[in-house]
Amino acid sequence: MDLLLIAWRYLVARPITLVSTLSVTVGLMAIVVVDSVMSGFLGEQRALIRALAPDVSIELDGLDAAQRAALASQLAADPDVTTAAARLDVSAIQYCREQRSFLAAPKLGDSYFVNLVGLEDAELSGPLNHVLGATSPAGASAAAQSFLGTSTVARPADPFWFDLDDEWWQQRLPLDRRHRGDLVPVLFGRHLAYQFDYRPGTVVTLATFRGVLQAGAASPTASREFVVVGTFATRDRAFDDTHALVPRAALGDFAGLDTDAHEQAVWGRGTPIELRDRLRRALAATVDPAAIRSWEDRRALLLGAVESERRVMNVAMFFVVIVATFSLFVTLHQLVRRKTRDIGILCALGASAMRAGRLFLLCGLIVTLAGSVGGLAGGIALAHWLNPLLDLVERLTGFRLFDRQLFSFKNLPVQIEFGRLVWYGIASVACGTLFTLLPAARAARQDPVEALRHE
Amino acid sequence: MSDPIPSSAPAIRARGLVRNFESIGQRLEILRGVDLDVAAGEAIAVVGRSGGGKSTLLHLLGLLDRPDGGELAVDGVDVVRAPRGERDRLRRDRIGFVFQFYHLLPELTALQNVLLGAMIGVSPLDWLGRRQDEKQRARALLERVGLAERASHLPSRLSGGERQRVAIARALLRRPALLLCDEPTGNLDERTSAEIEELLLGIQRETRAAMVLVTHSLRLAGRLDRMLMLEGGRLHAVEAPPDQPAAAVASMV
Ligand SMILES: Nc1ncnc2c1ncn2[C@@H]1O[C@H](COP(=O)(O)OP(=O)(O)OP(=O)(O)O)[C@@H](O)[C@H]1O
Ligand SMILES: [Mg+2]
């Protein structure tokens, strides 16, 4: 009790300890804000790297129809799987049928590659729904009038299979295509649609090779008309620039493949890695474990780069912790020098020199704890209100820290990761304690008689 | 206040205490064989030249320092061989110090300074249970030394004499069997010295604690049970005629 009382009285009697506390606080606040923004950016980067990838994908090559059916029913029965759907990938060429703008990059008669992703409704209306944007067809008639302003006119719950016979849609089709009923819907990446000036109702001709290419043999080709029903946008512009989504069954038919799916996309509970491991165990009898991969497995290289950014930042943050807590060493060193006589007094009252050492350790601990808790709380608050704060600064001074034009998101991405922040708190308390330890050890070694003679 | 200390062992029994210091490569033999017996409840004065080693001796007796040679028993415990924890406990529970420069903690109020001795080594939880009793006792002690009104004042707002009163109250809190006073009036003016003397002697009689008091004031020394002089690193008894001790000793110092 003596230690607590004296430590407290020491600290409140000395404004300099407040400076130490503040330096820890400010240091930790900076760390929390930087970490949260960095986490936000890294999160954006992960989303970008991920694009449309499902949690886990299972390669279907080498499985016969019976095995595929067994796999599908097994996935459907799995309580951890929320969505399972087959996918098909086909490359195609899009033919620029009409040049609407002379400024637009694609010229009349040019043809461009596009990767067609054959998806099922379950994925697009489920876990991938967010790429479609928010416009519902109920509001589409009004909103779709300016196509680029409305990212999509697809019904989020049922994006492809809206009623093409619906009069609203028919109005948008070229006259000769109306009421034919053989058009296949397609969603283009927003950026691609923008370049080609695709709008809802635009009919696009896509061509592809049918079947499997064979050297020396002429390959049959097929072309078909698709009608643009909307756009999608992932975080990855390059992906959006080169991809289009079509119904899987129609794509299989179009491409004339002897398979109707390349992979099984699986979404489920827990992290993708956990889901992958669970599926590998559960499906061991049917599927080679190597064919079951999480999206992180498939993008390991790029994600590795992100992780190394994170590691570099951790090291940088550690130095910030050291700098922020270093002032404790100075403060405590000075305190011990000033209070040497008190050590002798405490000893005369029956304390051991060890106890005097602990007194200063406690002083340092109070300072770091107060600084760390304050810094964490302040940092979290600052990170939480960072964007409104930046807006306010911009409104007051005209200074803009974050240029929205450069990014695909409107605000600074902020992601507060409490688990990591706790570690920063622990690191700062540990560092502070370490810096306190040296002066405290000096106090503990102090000879009480010399301390009493100390002026 | 008048709790008698239940101890029949002699407060101090020292034989041939030796203490040397190294100073710039030079060996200073400060205590060269001090013999001292202080019975329980006895009050003795130690006088001697400045630099003679009086404070050094008190530090040995108060277990703040260890002798380089000799035997020392405090309150019946052989403290030369006792482990450190035992010495700390003895110092806390059985010995009270009063210093020339008061040695109060400047950040604590008078009451907190007095209470400090009772807090040492007590966990905050235990302290919650004991706080009221100890506070009451500390207040009673402050009242005894005449400072009941100043309990919440910091030392910086007290006069020298008042600070020494606080220091005396602090020394008494644990009901020590042995009071060690190092020139308790050495820093005070004539009148205040006389007041502090009265207080100390009164308290010594009330508590029946043994007392070793170092002083340059022969008037004070003469009022104690015995007077010893530290000279040449040894203690000598001073036999002074009771009617005029000061003159007799003055001729010897
Ligand atoms: N740690 C030390 N190192 C070297 N010399 C020391 C040390 N401690 C004390 N001394 C010396 O020991 C001698 C005795 O000191 P001490 O303080 O005991 O004297 P004193 O009798 O109390 O004197 P005063 O009446 O002035 O207080 C002094 O000469 C002092 O310089
Ligand atoms: Mg002295």
Side-chain angles (χ1 to χ4, degrees), chain A residues 135-159:
Chain A
T135 317
S136 72
S141 21
Q145 287 171 8
S146 106
F147 169 57
L148 290 168
T150 65
S151 55
T152 177
V153 289
R155 214 180 318 228
D158 188 5

Side-chain angles (χ1 to χ4, degrees), chain A residues 1-2 4-6 9-10 13-14 339 341-342 344-352 355 447-449 452-453 455, chain B residues 55-56 59 64-65 88 91-92 97 99 103-108 112 116-117 119-124 127 154 170:
Chain A
M1 189 55 215
D2 51 321
L4 219 53
L5 172 71
I6 302 170
R9 305 296 299 184
Y10 273 4
R14 285 178 180 68
K339 292 282 140 197
R341 214 188 55 192
D342 290 16
I345 297 171
L346 284 174
C347 287
L349 286 174
S352 58
R355 204 168 175 75
D447 173 40
V449 173
L452 279 175
R453 288 181 189 273
E455 287 304 308
Chain B
S55 296
T56 305
H59 292 148
L64 283 169
D65 196 8
D88 288 340
R91 195 166 64 238
R92 187 185 66 186
F97 275 101
F99 299 99
H103 285 353
L104 302 177
L105 297 197
E107 286 86 0
L108 304 191
Q112 286 168 336
L116 202 54
M119 288 185 187
I120 283 175
V122 178
S123 75
W127 179 247
L154 291 176
R170 177 180 67 182

Side-chain angles (χ1 to χ4, degrees), chain B residues 54-75:
Chain B
K54 305 183 295 299
S55 296
T56 305
L57 175 62
L58 274 198
H59 292 148
L60 288 181
L61 300 180
L63 314 185
L64 283 169
D65 196 8
R66 282 177 185 271
D68 296 314
E71 298 287 318
L72 176 62
V74 174
D75 203 33

Side-chain angles (χ1 to χ4, degrees), chain A residues 78-129:
Chain A
D78 193 322
D80 288 328
V81 173
T82 50
T83 305
R87 284 192 185 188
L88 184 68
D89 292 301
V90 170
S91 304
I93 287 165
Q94 50 182 323
Y95 173 67
C96 191
R97 209 167 49 83
E98 45 187 317
Q99 187 174 7
R100 303 224 183 162
S101 152
F102 287 101
L103 293 174
K107 300 291 183 231
L108 186 65
D110 282 357
S111 38
Y112 288 88
F113 253 109
V114 63
N115 297 298
L116 303 180
V117 182
L119 284 176
E120 283 183 11
D121 197 21
E123 270 196 278
L124 213 50
S125 59
L128 286 182
N129 193 243

Side-chain angles (χ1 to χ4, degrees), chain B residues 9-253:
Chain B
I12 294 174
R13 190 186 140 85
R15 288 292 172 271
L17 279 186
V18 174
R19 187 70 175 103
N20 307 316
F21 290 114
E22 293 292 332
S23 181
I24 335 172
Q26 201 184 351
R27 189 179 155 91
L28 300 172
E29 298 182 346
I30 304 299
L31 302 180
R32 304 174 181 217
V34 170
D35 299 330
L36 175 63
D37 286 285
V38 181
E42 191 186 14
I44 67 155
V46 174
V47 296
R49 236 184 311 117
S50 179
K54 305 183 295 299
S55 296
T56 305
L57 175 62
L58 274 198
H59 292 148
L60 288 181
L61 300 180
L63 314 185
L64 283 169
D65 196 8
R66 282 177 185 271
D68 296 314
E71 298 287 318
L72 176 62
V74 174
D75 203 33
V77 178
D78 174 1
V79 294
V80 176
R81 270 170 280 273
R84 184 182 305 195
E86 173 74 5
R87 288 163 56 92
D88 288 340
R89 192 197 58 73
L90 209 60
R91 195 166 64 238
R92 187 185 66 186
D93 296 340
R94 307 298 279 164
I95 300 174
F97 275 101
V98 177
F99 299 99
Q100 177 178 2
F101 296 105
Y102 332 123
H103 285 353
L104 302 177
L105 297 197
E107 286 86 0
L108 304 191
T109 63
L111 184 67
Q112 286 168 336
N113 263 294
V114 174
L115 273 174
L116 202 54
M119 288 185 187
I120 283 175
V122 178
S123 75
L125 219 64
D126 290 348
W127 179 247
L128 274 182
R130 290 165 50 173
R131 198 181 53 184
Q132 285 315 321
D133 291 348
E134 299 284 5
K135 260 195 174 163
Q136 221 166 4
R137 190 172 149 71
R139 281 187 195 284
L141 283 170
L142 279 176
E143 198 174 328
R144 172 65 185 87
V145 300
L147 283 179
E149 316 289 287
R150 317 295 301 271
S152 59
H153 286 200
L154 291 176
S156 54
R157 294 176 57 187
L158 301 176
S159 72
E162 287 164 342
R163 289 183 206 187
Q164 196 61 298
R165 287 164 190 268
V166 175
I168 291 168
R170 177 180 67 182
L172 294 174
L173 187 76
R174 285 300 204 118
R175 303 183 174 92
L178 173 62
L179 275 174
L180 300 174
C181 310
D182 195 351
E183 301 183 39
T185 59
N187 209 32
L188 302 172
D189 64 57
E190 193 81 10
R191 222 184 102 193
T192 318
S193 292
E195 287 170 14
I196 295 292
E197 269 175 46
E198 288 310 321
L199 182 64
L200 262 179
L201 295 184
I203 278 173
Q204 194 268 331
R205 272 193 300 277
E206 285 165 31
T207 63
R208 275 178 272 157
M211 176 149 90
V212 177
L213 187 148
V214 169
T215 182
H216 287 288
S217 156
L218 296 174
R219 182 192 62 195
L220 171 57
R223 294 180 64 188
L224 300 191
D225 298 338
R226 275 193 290 147
M227 194 195 305
L228 300 170
M229 177 179 291
L230 186 61
E231 194 175 40
R234 291 198 175 78
L235 277 177
H236 309 278
V238 178
E239 299 296 344
D243 49 334
Q244 42 161 227
V249 179
S251 63
M252 301 172 70
V253 176

